[in-house]
Each structure stands twice: as C-alpha cells, then as structure tokens.
Amino acid sequence: MGSAGLARLHGLFAAYKPPGLKWKHLRDIVELQLLKGLNAGKPPAPEQRVRFLLAPVEGREEKELTLTATSVPTLTDHLLVRGPAFTSLKIGVGHRLDAQASGVLVLGVGHGRSLLTDMYNAHLTKDYTVRGLLGKATDDFCEDGRLVEKTTYDHVTREKLDRILALIQGSHQKALVLYSNVDLQTQEAYEMAVTGLIRPTTKSPMLIAGIRCLHFAPPEFLLEVQCMHETQKQLRRLVHEIGLELKTTAVCSQVRRTRDGFFTLDDALLRTQWDLHSIQDAIQAAAPRVAAELQKSLRPRLGTQQLPGSGQHRDSEGPSSALKGQAGGAVGG
C-alpha cells in the first residue's frame, strides 16, 4: 500500500475549508490523515536469514551443544525497529483563505505543488458569495468586530444597490483590459474576450470580473463576486464601501469561496473525506481536467501588445477605487 499509494498522490485536489479553521491547520490535518493511511498497510512478511545457533545434540544423554543452521526472521525492517515508513509529505496550498472565510481550498501533493505555481501564473478567476449586513460599521469590516457606528438603511433599495454594483463592475472591467495588455483591435483579442481568457499578465490589484446581488432582504444582502488577485479582507472592505456609497454603513458577515479556477464546491472534499483513498480518487479524477485547463490558460497569447501608457506608473489602489469620478466615492480594496 505504501509505495503504490504514494504514487497516486501526485497532483491537485480541493478541500472545503470550514470557517474558523486556519489553512495551516487544514494542511496539517490532511498530511496527518495521508500519513496515517500510507502507514496503515499490512507490512510484508519479514525476510528469513540463516543463523548458526547453539542447540542440544539430539539422541545423546549428555548435555552437549552444537551449532545448528536455523532460519530466523530479520527484524531490521520491523515497524517497532525502524518506525513508520512515511513520516512527512510535501503538501502545498494554493490561493489561501483566512481563518474567518470558508470554501474551496486547492492543495497540491508531491509533484502537484508545481501545478499550484501554474495555477497562480494563469491568473484564474475565483468566485465568492459575500454576505453583508446594513446598518453598522466595525473596525475590521466584520460583523463581530468592534462597533464604530450605527446608521439607518430604510432608504436603501435593490435598484440603488444594483446601480452601485454595475459601476463597480464597469470600472474593474476597464482596469482588467489595461492590466492584460491586450490589443482590442485584433480578432484574437475578441476571441479571448468571448471565452473569458482576458486576464492580467502580471500581479495586479484586486480585479472584479463580475459582481451581482443574489438576495436582498434588508438589512441582509448576498453578493456573488467573480474576481482575481483578491484577499478576503479586501472583499470585506468592499462591502463596507458599498454601504458608504448607499449613504449608510455595512459589515461583512460571511465570505465563502465557491470556485477557485477549475475547482468548484462539487470538487471540494468535506472534512470527513480527508483520508487517503478519497484524496487519491479526487486527484485522479481531477488530473485530466487540470492538464487541459492549464494548457488552455497558459498557452501563448496571440495578438497582444503593450498598450500605450501601460508601462506608466499605476495607482497602487488600481481599480479598487471603483467609483472614483463616477459616483463621487471610493469602493474596493
């Protein structure tokens, strides 16, 4: 089981991180469970070696000893002598989630860690559901943070919220084109835009490819955000600044990642599935899709060129100041 089981552990898989659990602890739990599974196999029968041992001579009344060839087991490979066969595994973590956030967390085992680098270089988008609560502000933008202010929100409507979200999306989409260095006058660029392959060529501020309201029942509202290069704190701050644009305040009560690149909630293993066989099956099932998606995302870009002014200094806040000059405020991370 040991060596054969380890051979099937090279690749990527997704786990579901519950809120309140740090990503480091999740990785440690997965490593412990994998080592437990690899070391749980029945050990092979010990090798036999011939040793000459003293034994009484048969058929004689005198107590006479002689050397007799005897087959005895070799104990050098015994578990109690050498210890467990596997004591550590190389497990990498992709786009991280902070302790309060939950959702899809991609991990790489063995050679799969290099695929995590490929995922990072592909600048893939990620989907989140972000829950907000109108009427108060806190020091860390979280619902359980230190209360800073309380406000009324009776004037907030779904139409006003949708208008703010549209402004945010429009501003970020313009920035996405800027950071992608794509010449929009080419056919290749058009095809990339249709297939959603227009992405930044380098690290950039948080970029929002899409944002919409899924549910609105004041004081609560639920957003779906498709973005890249984000942190969960930036998403919480986004909720806070949306509240300011609505002439009220808002805090974030939940951040949940529903997709990371080509891994979705359906691919994420629950805590009860963080065992050797489930992870092996998940890696094997995802391998063809991982190879195909990375090849498509990392293929050389045709018809791209440096845009005029794209090498100039950019505002460090980038498109996160989504509504500057459009609605008189600032939204983003």
Side-chain angles (χ1 to χ4, degrees):
M1 165 64 75
S3 299
L6 184 62
R8 297 183 61 227
L9 273 178
H10 292 286
L12 299 180
F13 72 98
Y16 185 87
K17 191 192 87 65
L21 180 67
K22 295 182 178 180
W23 65 265
K24 289 183 179 180
H25 292 168
L26 187 153
R27 183 187 61 186
D28 292 344
I29 293 172
V30 168
E31 180 182 8
L32 181 64
Q33 291 298 104
L34 290 178
L35 291 174
K36 183 178 178 181
L38 289 171
N39 291 316
K42 185 178 179 181
E47 295 181 1
Q48 299 291 321
R49 291 189 177 182
V50 176
R51 297 291 177 88
F52 289 93
L53 305 176
L54 288 173
V57 179
E58 296 182 3
R60 293 190 181 185
E61 296 181 358
E62 298 85 356
K63 294 182 179 180
E64 184 177 350
L65 299 178
T66 184
L67 288 174
T68 304
T70 308
S71 179
V72 296
T74 301
L75 299 180
T76 55
D77 291 332
H78 194 280
L79 179 62
L80 297 179
V81 176
R82 63 168 172 78
F86 300 93
T87 57
S88 65
L89 284 174
K90 294 181 179 180
I91 300 177
V93 178
H95 299 112
R96 299 170 183 174
L97 288 169
D98 60 27
Q100 294 88 357
S102 63
V104 179
L105 183 68
V106 179
L107 296 95
V109 186
H111 302 323
R113 293 180 304 152
S114 64
L115 298 177
L116 292 174
T117 303
D118 292 338
M119 282 190 66
Y120 178 84
N121 292 333
H123 304 286
L124 301 172
T125 58
K126 298 175 284 294
D127 289 354
Y128 290 85
T129 54
V130 180
R131 192 176 300 276
L133 188 67
L134 296 168
K136 64 179 182 178
T138 61
D139 58 343
D140 60 357
F141 317 127
C142 294
E143 183 182 13
D144 55 357
R146 182 175 62 86
L147 184 64
V148 174
E149 182 183 8
K150 279 190 173 183
T151 55
T152 59
Y153 53 86
D154 296 341
H155 60 283
V156 178
T157 64
R158 175 69 178 263
E159 291 73 23
K160 291 180 180 179
L161 176 59
D162 288 340
R163 192 179 307 121
I164 296 296
L165 299 183
L167 290 173
I168 294 173
Q169 180 168 316
S171 174
H172 279 254
Q173 285 180 342
K174 291 178 182 178
L176 178 59
V177 173
L178 176 66
Y179 280 97
S180 65
N181 293 335
V182 173
D183 181 5
L184 296 181
Q185 304 303 317
T186 63
Q187 178 65 23
E188 289 80 8
Y190 171 77
E191 293 175 356
M192 290 173 63
V194 170
T195 57
L197 289 178
I198 290 185
R199 296 169 188 155
T201 55
T202 58
K203 181 66 177 176
S204 71
M206 179 178 73
L207 295 172
I208 296 176
I211 182 170
R212 65 190 182 105
C213 180
L214 296 178
H215 180 68
F216 183 76
E220 290 189 347
F221 60 94
L222 181 65
L223 305 178
E224 181 183 61
V225 184
Q226 186 181 27
C227 54
M228 60 191 76
H229 301 169
E230 80 295 336
T231 66
Q232 288 77 57
K233 185 175 181 179
Q234 287 175 318
L235 292 173
R236 296 185 185 99
R237 182 178 175 182
L238 177 66
V239 171
H240 165 75
E241 294 185 339
I242 287 174
L244 296 181
E245 292 299 329
L246 292 170
K247 310 303 181 185
T248 181
T249 53
V251 293
C252 181
S253 58
Q254 182 189 59
V255 174
R256 184 172 182 247
R257 183 190 289 162
T258 58
R259 182 180 63 84
D260 185 352
F262 33 80
F263 287 95
T264 67
L265 286 175
D266 292 335
D267 304 310
L269 299 179
L270 301 177
R271 191 162 189 165
T272 55
Q273 299 172 303
W274 298 349
D275 59 78
L276 177 63
H277 295 295
S278 297
I279 292 175
Q280 285 175 328
D281 292 343
I283 289 175
Q284 299 301 313
R289 179 159 46 96
V290 169
E293 292 291 340
L294 285 179
Q295 182 180 9
K296 181 177 69 174
S297 299
L298 294 174
R299 71 170 184 246
R301 297 188 177 193
L302 301 176
T304 62
Q305 65 180 33
Q306 193 80 6
L307 292 179
S310 60
Q312 299 176 1
H313 173 71
R314 294 178 178 126
D315 182 2
S316 60
E317 289 296 318
S320 55
S321 300
L323 301 182
K324 285 183 178 179
Q326 297 187 49
V331 172

